Amino acid sequence: MSSQQMSAGAGKAAKFTAANPLAPMADPFAGLGDDEKEYQKVLSDNVNKRMTKALEDLAEKHSKGINEIDDEDRAPTGGAYRTHNAQLMKQRRQIEAEKEVQRNEEVKRLLALKDQARRLNGDGKQNHDDDSSCCSDSDDDEYDHLLDDDPELEAIRNNRLQQIRDSQMKQAENLGKGHGQYRLIYQDDFLHECTGSEYVAAHFFHKEFQRCKIMDHHLELIAPLHVDCKFVKIDAEKAPFFVDKLQIKTLPTLFVFQNGKVVDRLTGFEGLAANPNDPDNWHTGKLQQWLANTGAIDYKIPTEDVLNEMKRLGIQPKGAIWSTKKNSVWEDE
């Protein structure tokens, strides 16, 4: 190789060496004035000290086993965050529990409505009661986890369970007094029957009046549905004392007693029929509405949603429609 070529190669090497991009790292203050170098050096020392201190802190935390515990005010594992998160979780559990309670109440309401409709249709209820009990037990087990570790929700649940137990005891007491059925009583039993329960619906009837039989039919449907009220009937011909005392002139007449005192009376089918030209054609719900207005029973007119659900389930409640008039010494409404 000629000396000319060697000198050219050496020049190229010298050129690339001078242009090496890593050169500033070897001397980061090259090309700076004295003041600038001093400033950059102070800045560099400050950064190095902070980095060294941070590394020392990490090493100390790691040696003590607390390297994963963050500052309380700045990290998601700090005490402030944990307190806030616990409150949020508690609110979520309460909201979920309330939703489940609402869903369970809606299910129970629909089941009760279905059972009521089956009774109105004359269907048995034993299988339904068994299914309802089983469903209720499974629902309780399924949502028990929502009450875990929450004393407030546990208190709500215990209060609700106590209300259910009190209601069941009251229902058992009423059944022992003859509630839940439509019974025939006699004059000697009238005062005892009417004062032995808070609410009593008493039908004064005549055995030959067909409209009294219509009233009987409706009351037989209503009595098993409303155990809080006692439903009885008494033959007006065999109870002259109370017919005179209560000034009964028209049959059928239905009285509602509260603690032995007359609250209201229904003479004939007054206000029950939608069509005045067809007074014997009315639905059991109309009589339930009248009884509810006296306070004797708790009854609400089915909403549109409930009616649609009944239609979807193929449930068609039945009222009583028949009429035959017959002359008598009594006035048949």
Side-chain angles (χ1 to χ4, degrees):
M1 183 179 296
S2 65
S3 60
Q4 188 175 8
Q5 289 178 335
M6 291 178 62
S7 101
K12 289 182 179 180
K15 178 180 179 182
F16 283 111
T17 300
N20 185 358
L22 299 178
M25 295 184 64
D27 185 9
F29 305 116
L32 298 177
D34 292 338
D35 293 340
E36 292 179 340
K37 285 183 179 181
E38 185 64 24
Y39 172 77
Q40 290 291 343
K41 188 175 185 306
V42 172
L43 180 61
S44 178
D45 290 342
N46 188 20
V47 172
N48 289 336
K49 286 180 181 179
R50 294 176 63 183
M51 291 293 294
T52 301
K53 181 67 169 60
L55 290 174
E56 290 175 353
D57 289 343
L58 287 175
E60 182 181 0
K61 287 184 178 181
H62 184 76
S63 64
K64 294 180 180 180
I66 59 173
N67 55 303
E68 294 182 358
I69 300 180
D70 296 314
D71 187 4
E72 183 171 312
D73 296 326
R74 295 182 298 173
T77 55
Y81 175 85
R82 288 196 299 270
T83 301
H84 178 66
N85 187 56
Q87 293 176 348
L88 291 179
M89 292 301 295
K90 183 178 180 180
Q91 292 176 358
R92 290 194 190 101
R93 288 198 300 269
Q94 289 177 337
I95 292 173
E96 289 297 325
E98 291 174 359
K99 288 181 179 179
E100 293 306 328
V101 169
Q102 292 176 357
R103 282 195 286 266
N104 289 339
E105 290 295 332
E106 183 66 15
V107 169
K108 291 177 182 178
R109 185 177 66 82
L110 290 176
L111 289 175
L113 179 63
K114 188 174 182 180
D115 182 53
Q116 175 182 347
R118 284 177 174 174
R119 290 184 184 183
L120 292 177
N121 286 323
D123 294 341
K125 73 167 194 170
Q126 184 63 38
N127 292 337
H128 169 69
D129 289 343
D130 294 341
D131 294 342
S132 177
S133 177
C134 177
C135 177
S136 178
D137 292 341
S138 63
D139 286 345
D140 291 342
D141 294 338
E142 182 179 355
Y143 301 119
D144 275 348
H145 70 279
L146 296 173
L147 301 176
D148 293 344
D149 302 326
D150 196 319
E152 293 183 6
L153 292 180
E154 186 66 24
I156 293 174
R157 181 190 185 193
N158 291 336
N159 183 49
R160 178 57 180 158
L161 289 175
Q162 184 61 43
Q163 291 177 354
I164 293 174
R165 284 192 289 267
D166 293 343
S167 177
Q168 290 174 342
M169 292 178 62
K170 181 65 175 178
Q171 182 174 354
E173 179 184 351
N174 286 336
L175 291 175
K177 294 179 180 179
H179 294 225
Q181 53 184 317
Y182 182 50
R183 297 181 295 113
L184 174 66
I185 63 172
Y186 300 95
Q187 180 169 261
D188 293 341
D189 304 322
F190 186 77
L191 284 177
H192 173 73
E193 293 285 357
C194 290
T195 58
S197 299
E198 181 180 5
Y199 280 101
V200 178
H203 171 212
F204 282 81
F205 73 96
H206 192 289
K207 62 184 178 181
E208 294 183 354
F209 287 4
Q210 293 303 312
R211 286 190 173 178
C212 291
K213 294 180 181 180
I214 294 177
M215 181 65 75
D216 283 340
H217 175 78
H218 288 285
L219 292 175
E220 286 173 355
L221 296 175
I222 294 173
L225 303 178
H226 302 281
V227 184
D228 291 337
C229 180
K230 180 190 293 182
F231 290 86
V232 296
K233 63 179 179 178
I234 183 169
D235 190 337
E237 285 189 313
K238 297 180 181 180
F241 175 79
F242 291 106
V243 168
D244 180 65
K245 187 72 174 176
L246 296 171
Q247 299 182 1
I248 300 173
K249 303 297 182 182
T250 302
L251 297 177
T253 296
L254 179 65
F255 285 90
V256 172
F257 296 88
Q258 183 181 13
N259 297 321
K261 298 181 180 179
V262 176
V263 175
D264 204 349
R265 74 163 68 193
L266 177 65
T267 302
F269 299 156
E270 184 180 1
L272 299 179
N275 183 1
N277 296 324
D278 191 7
D280 297 337
N281 183 357
W282 48 276
H283 193 274
T284 307
K286 297 295 292 183
L287 182 55
Q288 287 176 291
Q289 283 182 256
W290 183 84
L291 289 167
N293 290 335
T294 68
I297 66 173
D298 183 15
Y299 174 77
K300 296 180 180 179
I301 302 174
T303 63
E304 190 68 25
D305 292 339
V306 173
L307 293 175
N308 291 335
E309 181 67 12
M310 293 173 64
K311 183 177 180 181
R312 186 184 69 81
L313 295 173
I315 300 173
Q316 181 61 46
K318 296 178 181 178
I321 303 174
W322 75 85
S323 173
T324 303
K325 292 187 178 181
K326 191 171 184 178
N327 294 328
S328 171
V329 294
W330 291 87
E331 180 182 352
D332 183 3
E333 168 66 15

